[in-house]
Amino acid sequence: MEKHLEALKDAVARPLWHDPEIMPESLASLSSDQKCDLLIVGGGFTGLWAAMQAKERRPDADIILIEQTFVGDGASGRCGGFISTTLTQGETNTAHRFADEAGRLEQLGIQNLRELLETVDHYHIDARYEKTGEMFVALDPDSAKRLQKEYQQALAEGEDVVWFDKDSVREQVNSPIIHAGLWERDGQDGVIDPARLCWGLKDVLVNQLGVRIFEGTKLLDLKPVGNESMQAFCEGGVISSDKVLLATNAFTSLIGEIRRSVIPVWDYQIATEPLSDEQLDRIAWGKTSRHALADYVNMFHYFRLTKDNRITWGGGGAVRYYFNNGIDKKYMDAPACYEQLAKELFEMFPQLDDVKFTNKWGGIIATSTRFCMVPGTAYDGRIAWSVGYTGHGVGASRFGARIGIEMLGYAPTDILDMQFVRQKALPWAPEPFRWFGVRFTQNALIKADRNGGKRGLWLKFLDRLGLGFTC
Ligand SMILES: Cc1cc2nc3c(=O)[nH]c(=O)nc-3n(C[C@H](O)[C@H](O)[C@H](O)COP(=O)(O)OP(=O)(O)OC[C@H]3O[C@@H](n4cnc5c(N)ncnc54)[C@H](O)[C@@H]3O)c2cc1C
């Protein structure tokens, strides 16, 4: 059996973060009709942070949060745990779409992450945060040149960045395929354990702030009651609420505008067993540095160390869009994706040929046509949503939650006047064009990556339409 298949043989199909030892008990499902001021649908970061910030702004608000399975079962409890200030999937996307608001968005992103970490601290949530910055590594000489230009530009803009050439980068992360590295170490960017954060927030909301959370409770339908309030028809009962926040991200929505602006893209990850000291010595990483890493390509891998020195490894070409917005949990069973990831990890670190994988899992990324969050409202502002964070939602979802509750009247501020909030996202094409389009674009991105980043005709065409994806 090939080495990567052997190493993957006993991996459990469960997110590393969903450790049964620390998973909290499920909360009861809804079993009778209820009333509240604010109903939040979705127990991921957006929903949890919305409840937290709504309570900060209106401590007496009666809030219910419902989650169809369990808190942290969506992208939030399955992600890579890279946490950053970006609200827009990076500076290139900001410059492309919100150039006039770039400075404000940067400041809001910094403020958002600072406040997020302060809250985590305040409530003593053990989210296993590590301030690592983020390091991009170039995998070929052309990419190294492009990355070096980014370094020069960042230096000129006064950012705290460090450049590693081929030799010095291997003292940080010893891989034979890395040609250079750019470490962005300013600010508070780092990594967390995402499920611990979800469950820590859940605990605070229920036990300290009086938010009622019903797990195993799916929203089935929404109906207005006159001009005043909404009724949410759920498994187990009807909830009457003045306002409703939909924090359902990539999951199928009752609202057509959400269904058109976001598609679910599956992203897969694997995790190794904890590395021994001697294994860490072989790769330097974990000894001389603990960078949170991504390779500098369009279809990038993201990889990091956990507190107990496992490597989690995800992304790359192992992302899939399944026809007609497929979100069924059967797509967790994706052997080809896991095998590809395992093979690629051994290409990055051939010295780790004795390491085994313990976990493999997938989750759905809500991808919007603007590659960052999409806020919106319906029913005269009685319903709001914030969805579509694409690959950067761990930090940004708290800001999305803020926009959501402000749109529902919870101490609104002038952020609601920003283009970032007001501008509508373009709709995705209907099927079957959607499936072909995503497939074709993914292949074009892979081709560009193999070609030192040179974008072909299709990608240039998308760029001109404002639909081009860049990392
Ligand atoms: C594999 C993977 C890796 C990622 N890595 C990173 C990363 O490293 N850094 C980063 O910044 N971002 C990353 N992301 C993106 C990030 O995880 C998300 O943007 C973020 O978690 C979105 O949070 P959310 O609360 O909006 O959505 P979710 O966490 O998906 O929560 C939505 C919740 O709504 C519930 N729900 C849906 N419909 C209903 C209904 N009808 N009734 C009741 N409940 C419902 C779902 O069950 C789900 O729990 C990653 C995503 C994935 C999938």
Side-chain angles (χ1 to χ4, degrees), residues 33 45 98 124 126 144 152 168 191 203 221 229 231 236 297 301 312 334 338 353 368 382 390 406 411 428-429 457 470:
D33 293 354
F45 289 139
F98 313 106
H124 308 292
D126 177 18
Q152 302 291 0
S168 57
V191 290
D203 178 56
D221 202 3
S229 61
Q231 274 192 327
V297 289
H301 293 98
T312 69
Y338 301 125
D353 57 358
S368 75
R382 276 172 282 165
T390 313
E406 288 199 13
W428 285 95
L457 280 178
T470 46

Side-chain angles (χ1 to χ4, degrees), residues 42 44-46 67-68 75-76 79-82 219 247 249 302 363 391-394:
F45 289 139
T46 304
E67 163 54 48
Q68 61 184 353
S76 302
C79 66
F82 285 56
L219 173 71
N249 211 29
Y302 49 94
H392 286 69
V394 173

Side-chain angles (χ1 to χ4, degrees), residues 375-391:
T377 58
Y379 293 101
D380 301 323
R382 276 172 282 165
I383 295 185
W385 59 85
S386 227
V387 295
Y389 304 93
T390 313

